Amino acid sequence: MPGDPRAESLQLLGEYAREPDRSVLVRVEMPGTAWESGVAADDPRPAASLLKMPLAMAVERAFAGGDLDPRATVTVRRLLVGDADPGPLHVLGPDLPLTIADVLGLCLSLSDRSCAAWLLDAVGLAAVRGIIADLGCDATVVAVDDGHPGGPLVGRTTARDALRMAAASTDAARNPLTAAALHNTIRSSRIPLGADGLDVRLAHKTGSLAGVAHDVAIIDCVHGTLSLAFLTEDQHDTLVSGYEMGICTRGLLQAWGLAVRRSRSLA
């Protein structure tokens, strides 16, 4: 006899959040069913790279308003000004031109700091704050790290606000470039650990700092959608924290029968 998905989900969330300083919010949307639950979902945590989502949406707004041309180009050399740390951009030719649309995509899919700093300089902090306000993310605060001119963005957010940002970021009608980038984000050992190998469509964004491991995702399945936000801080081992995000994700997908997005013929 099938179990109660709500009871199973609450047990999974409790197991994940048994360690201190962990937040989680889960939303299930299926025909005739809308269920949401979380643990410490409104507790502020360091936002880390989750702030790249409202930054990207601010850039898309600038594209739509004609303030930025997505086809305009910038060289890799300009993106790397002041950034000597190894990274994916360093393997590209310094004079290689990238469109601003390319820079937005790399900012999200690689969570690239240099691309984020360039985009922030192009649109300004006020534009990012405007997106956050428009989304109703009242618990989210954002600033520029004073010790690093040109970025990075720093601030705090909650699991509830993170899901709001993810939902808006994956709205392909409003933010097509942002949505495409999140669907092509480099996979990690966090939420994707629980969804890889299953027939689902996943868009997600991670955030990482010392002791901090976040992952926020929208998982589309044939029978519905699973939205998740895992936020942490002061973790003794972020690899373990991320692994347990994946275990929780897979359990939730199975509890609700959402592991399959489309049928396949074996013939």
Side-chain angles (χ1 to χ4, degrees), residues 9-223:
S9 297
L10 291 174
Q11 181 177 350
L12 287 163
L13 298 185
E15 290 173 354
Y16 169 77
R18 72 189 185 282
E19 298 287 342
D21 299 310
R22 290 183 178 182
S23 298
V24 58
L25 182 64
V26 173
R27 185 172 298 131
V28 177
E29 297 171 281
M30 303 168 60
T33 299
W35 183 84
E36 176 180 298
S37 186
V39 178
D42 297 303
D43 288 4
R45 309 284 185 198
S49 287
L50 298 183
L51 294 174
K52 290 185 174 72
M53 290 189 288
L55 170 61
M57 287 185 277
V59 174
E60 293 233 47
R61 180 174 288 182
F63 289 161
D67 298 315
L68 277 179
D69 182 354
R71 298 166 296 181
T73 60
V74 56
T75 63
V76 170
R77 188 190 308 277
R78 286 181 60 198
L79 293 173
L80 291 175
V81 169
D83 187 357
D85 293 336
L89 292 185
H90 286 274
V91 305
L92 302 177
D95 295 316
L96 178 70
L98 298 174
T99 67
I100 301 180
D102 292 335
V103 175
L104 184 152
L106 293 172
C107 168
L108 289 174
S109 65
L110 299 179
S111 202
D112 187 83
R113 184 177 62 184
S114 296
C115 290
W118 192 92
L119 292 172
L120 178 60
D121 186 61
V123 297
L125 181 60
V128 180
R129 286 176 170 164
I131 293 290
I132 290 170
D134 289 348
L135 295 178
C137 295
D138 298 331
T140 300
V141 295
V142 59
V144 177
D145 188 340
D146 291 337
H148 298 81
L153 288 170
V154 295
R156 296 181 74 80
T157 192
T158 65
R160 193 174 308 279
D161 276 4
L163 267 193
R164 289 191 181 102
M165 289 188 279
S169 295
T170 54
D171 183 345
R174 294 169 55 194
N175 300 295
L177 297 174
T178 301
L182 291 177
H183 278 105
N184 290 283
T185 293
I186 299 299
R187 297 303 171 94
S188 69
S189 60
R190 298 176 189 172
I191 286 176
L193 177 70
D196 280 352
L198 301 178
D199 192 10
V200 299
R201 186 168 183 255
L202 170 69
H204 81 123
K205 183 72 190 77
T206 60
S208 303
L209 293 169
V212 171
H214 301 336
D215 206 351
V216 184
I218 310 294
I219 305 177
D220 293 317
C221 314
V222 70
H223 298 301

